Amino acid sequence: MKHFFLTILVAFFTVSMVGQVTFQPKSYDGDVKGVVYSTEKTVDLRLYPNGWAVAYNTGNIVSYNKTKYYHFELGKHADPREKLQSRPYNLSFVRGAGSFAYGKINSFYSARVGMGRLKYVSEKAKRKGIAVGFNYEVGPALGFLKPYYLEVYVDDGELAGFSTEPIKYSEETAAVFLDQGSIANEGRFVEGLLETKLIPGIQGKIGVHFDAGAFDEYVKAIEVGAMAEVYSRRIPLMAPTDNHSDKPFFFNLYVNLHFGKRN
């Protein structure tokens, strides 16, 4: 009986020591950390082949390896065929350097809101290791389709010969809009702003998360993954052609830089 109680006592102290290593709220040794955070606020810079996005995230750290977060993002999409080009010459009465995207008829921006989960699957206790995890997110999206204006040359009937005026693409203006010799420059951003159309949709993404400071106060991470958006109508970005049709969805692979702070 004496040996039995001695064995129980040793086992109790062993379990207590293991518990201190796992849940101790302060640093136990040089390699193990146990500081507990409850919230995380971060900003993102996301790049994908035909666009970019900036975002803000606010999350609740549910457990040592799980975070529930809310995501707010503003991004821009471009058609793969869109290329910025310049005129081979410039005239004094033409604004700027004369650069424009030939064939582009609309600009498309999107606001995305999502609820997501992040789960780490690698060891979380090491001070200098990179924690690996995966995350997924889904939520609504709202697209902003804004006409793309060009400044084109017009005959003003005066000695100077020509001036410029802004136009957008339509059946009536197509001949001039797509005539490279008539294009002076792209229009100003504010032109067409009040003509912007709102297009509702849904969005989602899934990614692999690499965090160099997953258990530190400051967040320093990179994420790679796939994202998709589906809208209620087709999104026309370029002038129509016989071998291309507009689609109501976007699918992209992305790289995301992730910075912030935990409390």
Side-chain angles (χ1 to χ4, degrees), residues 206-217:
I206 184 169
V208 181
H209 199 82
F210 303 92
D211 198 331
F215 325 111
D216 299 331
E217 180 181 2

Side-chain angles (χ1 to χ4, degrees), residues 75 77 106-113 139-147 195-203 229-237 246-250:
H77 289 284
N106 287 299
S107 296
F108 188 70
Y109 303 87
S110 60
R112 301 183 279 264
V113 179
L142 183 62
F144 301 86
L145 189 68
K146 186 181 84 68
E195 302 171 70
T196 300
K197 297 178 180 178
L198 304 182
I199 306 175
I202 59 173
Q203 63 88 22
E229 297 168 68
V230 181
Y231 290 92
S232 60
R233 53 163 287 189
R234 296 177 183 272
I235 310 297
L237 297 178
D246 300 318
K247 297 179 175 60
F249 60 84
F250 297 94

Side-chain angles (χ1 to χ4, degrees), residues 43-133:
V43 294
D44 293 348
L45 174 59
R46 185 182 304 176
L47 302 175
Y48 38 95
N50 302 309
W52 53 264
V54 292
Y56 172 76
N57 308 284
T58 178
N60 295 319
I61 301 175
V62 179
S63 65
Y64 77 95
N65 68 337
K66 295 179 182 179
T67 300
K68 173 183 176 181
Y69 67 89
Y70 296 92
H71 179 84
F72 308 90
E73 180 175 290
L74 179 64
K76 182 180 181 181
H77 289 284
D79 191 284
R81 298 170 295 166
E82 179 182 324
K83 297 292 185 294
L84 196 65
Q85 61 187 65
S86 299
R87 294 188 60 83
Y89 56 87
N90 197 24
L91 301 177
S92 60
F93 57 83
V94 178
R95 177 181 62 84
S99 56
F100 57 92
Y102 179 72
K104 178 178 178 177
I105 62 174
N106 287 299
S107 296
F108 188 70
Y109 303 87
S110 60
R112 301 183 279 264
V113 179
M115 183 174 70
R117 299 288 189 277
L118 168 63
K119 181 177 181 180
Y120 290 101
V121 294
S122 62
E123 173 61 49
K124 282 188 66 73
K126 297 300 181 183
R127 181 184 294 268
K128 294 184 179 180
I130 295 179
V132 180

